[in-house]
Amino acid sequence: MSGFDGRRLPVVVAVVLGGLLFGGGLLLSARLNTVIDERVRVGVETTGRVVHVERYQLGRSTTVTRLTVEYALNGVRHRETLSSDLDDVRYRDGDAVILHVDRTDATKAATAEGYATEDLLVRSPTFLEAAGIIMIMLAAARLTRRGRGSLPTP
């Protein structure tokens, strides 16, 4: 049985940190979904108008959509940017959108489809999860590479 040597410590640390990043991403995603679901459930409903749609690639398979929406609540006009971590709903400039606005902060709005004014925060779980997976994969590749180099030759 071989003992633990200091050369494997960076690999272990990378796996642990990768697991923490991935787990943190999952927890943040669950928390954000809860906040958005609560806002949709109990928020003040109003109709807004999409004034700008911005779609951009974050990677090979991830497209992010940001909507700039104008709406009025209690006689005050608001112009906010909403984001989603999914790109399932296709809005266009001029489309009407049903918003659910936080009762205590009229600048915080969400749609039933998951768009919310938390903008960068909405995308953070995806970045954390991806960083965690990449870190774990790199650690596994390094461990595999070291394992091949330490095999005895016949």
Side-chain angles (χ1 to χ4, degrees):
M1 184 167 133
S2 67
F4 182 77
D5 62 8
R7 292 180 296 153
R8 291 188 183 166
L9 184 61
V11 174
V12 171
V13 169
V15 169
V16 169
L17 287 176
L20 290 172
L21 285 171
F22 185 77
L26 291 175
L27 288 173
L28 181 58
S29 179
R31 176 68 184 130
L32 282 169
N33 287 337
T34 300
V35 167
I36 292 169
D37 290 345
E38 179 75 8
R39 187 173 302 148
V40 168
R41 193 171 57 76
V42 300
V44 177
E45 188 174 301
T46 189
T47 301
R49 177 107 14 232
V50 176
V51 295
H52 182 67
V53 177
E54 180 182 10
R55 287 188 179 85
Y56 51 96
Q57 283 300 123
L58 286 181
R60 291 182 184 166
S61 63
T62 304
T63 302
V64 173
T65 301
R66 293 175 71 188
L67 307 174
T68 302
V69 178
E70 288 183 346
Y71 59 96
L73 191 66
N74 300 326
V76 179
R77 298 203 53 77
H78 298 274
R79 183 181 182 118
E80 301 296 335
T81 301
L82 289 81
S83 295
S84 175
D85 60 346
L86 302 174
D87 195 33
D88 293 339
V89 181
R90 297 290 180 172
Y91 286 106
R92 292 180 304 237
D93 291 356
D95 284 352
V97 60
I98 303 297
L99 298 168
H100 304 272
V101 182
D102 189 293
R103 291 182 182 278
T104 60
D105 184 352
T107 64
K108 295 190 182 282
T111 68
E113 298 85 15
Y115 286 87
T117 51
E118 277 71 12
D119 198 23
L120 292 175
L121 195 55
V122 169
R123 293 190 303 266
S124 296
T126 304
F127 289 122
L128 289 173
E129 292 163 7
I133 290 170
I134 290 168
M135 192 173 255
I136 291 169
M137 289 173 59
L138 290 174
R142 183 172 176 168
L143 190 60
T144 302
R145 196 172 44 242
R146 279 191 175 168
R148 284 188 198 147
S150 64
L151 292 175
T153 55

